[in-house]
C-alpha cells in the first residue's frame, strides 16, 4: 500500500521538475541566444520479474525472467537543445549573429564564457559589451572595439572607416558545454577557422539570434505535466483512503 504512495509521490516530484524547466523555457522566449532545456529521467528501484513453474515430477522449480518493473523515476539530468534559433534583422551595427555552429567569447573581469547572444552595445570607448556587462573578445583574447563608421564582415573581421582591419572576432566550438545562467556557457573551447572553404559559419552584422524555444510545443508539454501531476496527486489520495479503510477494518475485527 505504501509502495503506491511512494511511487506516486516520486512521479509528482518529477512533474514539478519538468514544469519548472518548461516554465523557464517559456519565460525566456524573448531572450536572444537562449537555448531550451529538457529534463531527462531514469528508472529507480527497478525490479526483475520471474515466472515460477514448479516441476514436482523432476523435484525442481523452473525460474525464467519475463521482464522488469520500474517502481519509480528520478531526474537524471537537464539537457540543453543547441539547435539554432531564428535569426532576426535589427539593423543595429553592434548586433551580431552566428549563422552555423559556434559561440562568441565574452569576458568580465577574469572570467571567460561563451554565448550565442549577440545583442552587443558600444560603450564610451566603442568596445562591444553585452547586456550583462561582458566584453566581446577577438581571436587574440582582447576586447573588440568597433570604430566609428566601421563594420564587420562575415568572417568576423572588424574594419575602421578607412577599410583597415583592426581586429577579428573569434568563434569557438565547445566540447562538453555546460549552461551557466540563461545564455552563458562553459566548456572545452576550440577556435573555428571561418576561412576554411568547408566551414558554414558566418557572422552577420545587424542581426541577432532569437531563442530556439517552440512556444506551442512547450505549452503542450506543460499542460501534459500539469495533468499528470493532478492524476498522481489523486492517486495518493485514493491510496490514503484505502489505507485508512484497511486500518479501520482490521481494528474492527478485534
Amino acid at each position: 500500500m505504501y509502495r503506491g504512495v511512494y511511487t506516486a509521490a516520486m512521479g509528482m516530484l518529477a512533474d514539478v521538475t519538468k514544469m519548472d524547466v518548461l516554465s523557464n523555457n517559456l519565460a525566456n522566449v524573448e531572450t536572444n541566444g537562449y537555448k531550451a532545456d529538457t529534463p531527462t529521467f531514469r528508472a529507480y528501484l527497478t525490479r526483475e520479474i520471474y515466472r515460477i513453474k514448479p516441476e514436482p515430477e523432476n523435484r525442481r522449480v523452473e525460474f525464467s525472467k519475463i521482464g522488469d518493473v520500474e517502481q519509480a523515476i528520478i531526474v537524471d539530468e537537464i539537457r540543453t537543445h543547441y539547435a539554432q534559433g531564428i535569426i532576426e534583422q535589427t539593423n543595429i551595427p553592434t548586433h551580431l549573429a552566428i549563422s552555423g555552429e559556434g559561440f562568441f567569447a565574452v569576458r568580465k573581469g577574469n572570467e571567460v564564457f561563451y554565448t550565442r547572444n549577440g545583442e552587443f552595445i558600444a560603450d564610451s570607448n566603442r568596445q562591444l559589451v553585452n547586456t550583462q556587462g561582458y566584453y566581446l573578445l577577438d581571436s587574440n583574447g582582447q576586447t573588440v572595439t568597433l570604430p566609428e563608421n566601421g563594420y564587420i564582415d562575415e568572417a568576423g573581421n572588424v574594419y575602421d572607416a578607412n577599410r583597415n582591419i583592426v581586429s577579428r572576432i573569434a568563434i569557438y566550438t565547445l566540447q562538453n558545454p555546460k549552461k551557466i545562467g540563461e545564455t552563458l556557457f562553459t566548456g572545452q573551447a576550440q577556435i573555428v577557422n571561418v576561412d576554411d572553404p568547408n566551414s558554414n559559419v558566418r557572422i552577420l552584422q545587424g542581426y541577432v539570434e532569437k531563442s530556439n524555444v517552440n512556444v506551442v510545443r512547450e505549452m503542450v508539454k506543460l499542460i501534459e505535466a500539469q495533468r499528470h501531476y493532478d492524476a498522481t496527486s489523486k492517486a495518493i489520495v485514493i491510496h490514503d483512503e484505502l489505507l485508512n479503510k484497511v486500518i479501520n477494518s482490521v481494528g474492527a475485527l478485534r
Side-chain angles (χ1 to χ4, degrees):
M1 189 67 69
Y2 279 113
R3 181 181 299 173
V5 174
Y6 294 150
T7 301
M10 295 185 73
M12 292 177 67
L13 291 174
D15 288 330
V16 168
T17 300
K18 188 174 183 180
M19 287 188 288
D20 287 343
V21 172
L22 294 172
S23 298
N24 187 61
N25 288 341
L26 290 171
N28 286 280
V29 168
E30 297 299 326
T31 302
N32 294 328
Y34 178 81
K35 300 303 176 185
D37 292 324
T38 301
T40 59
F41 305 90
R42 62 182 175 87
Y44 181 70
L45 293 177
T46 302
R47 298 290 181 87
E48 297 179 340
I49 302 176
Y50 290 87
R51 180 173 65 90
I52 303 175
K53 181 182 178 182
E55 295 182 356
E57 65 279 5
N58 298 324
R59 296 184 178 180
R60 69 187 183 92
V61 177
E62 179 184 345
F63 290 86
S64 59
K65 182 179 178 180
I66 60 177
D68 297 321
V69 58
E70 299 171 355
Q71 296 183 313
I73 61 171
I74 58 174
V75 178
D76 187 22
E77 62 177 325
I78 306 297
R79 296 182 180 178
T80 302
H81 185 49
Y82 292 98
Q84 181 173 298
I86 296 174
I87 294 180
E88 182 180 90
Q89 186 174 12
T90 63
N91 293 320
I92 299 176
T94 58
H95 285 181
L96 303 173
I98 300 174
S99 176
E101 296 182 1
F103 295 83
F104 296 112
V106 293
R107 183 181 66 202
K108 186 175 184 180
N110 295 323
E111 295 182 305
V112 176
F113 296 97
Y114 304 90
T115 182
R116 294 280 298 191
N117 184 3
E119 188 181 359
F120 298 105
I121 59 174
D123 66 6
S124 58
N125 297 318
R126 299 292 301 173
Q127 293 178 315
L128 297 184
V129 58
N130 68 7
T131 54
Q132 297 171 287
Y134 290 80
Y135 286 91
L136 177 64
L137 301 181
D138 63 13
S139 56
N140 296 319
Q142 303 300 314
T143 57
V144 174
T145 300
L146 181 62
E148 193 73 35
N149 298 322
Y151 68 96
I152 301 169
D153 65 14
E154 293 186 350
N157 295 309
V158 181
Y159 295 83
D160 61 16
N162 297 319
R163 295 193 175 184
N164 298 313
I165 298 177
V166 295
S167 63
R168 186 169 194 174
I169 298 172
I171 301 297
Y172 294 87
T173 57
L174 296 180
Q175 293 183 353
N176 303 318
K178 180 181 179 181
K179 181 183 284 189
I180 305 295
E182 303 300 345
T183 61
L184 299 178
F185 297 85
T186 60
Q188 301 171 3
Q190 183 175 3
I191 197 166
V192 176
N193 182 12
V194 295
D195 295 326
D196 187 341
N198 297 322
S199 174
N200 62 348
V201 178
R202 297 182 299 151
I203 295 179
L204 305 178
Q205 184 179 16
Y207 293 81
V208 292
E209 180 184 352
K210 306 298 290 183
S211 166
N212 68 352
V213 175
N214 185 313
V215 177
V216 175
R217 182 176 57 199
E218 298 299 294
M219 283 297 298
V220 170
K221 290 182 179 179
L222 186 60
I223 293 172
E224 290 176 348
Q226 181 63 56
R227 289 180 176 175
H228 188 268
Y229 180 89
D230 293 339
T232 50
S233 64
K234 291 178 181 178
I236 291 179
V237 173
I238 293 174
H239 276 285
D240 183 64
E241 292 176 352
L242 292 175
L243 185 61
N244 182 55
K245 289 182 179 180
V246 169
I247 295 174
N248 290 335
S249 297
V250 171
L253 293 176
R254 291 184 301 175

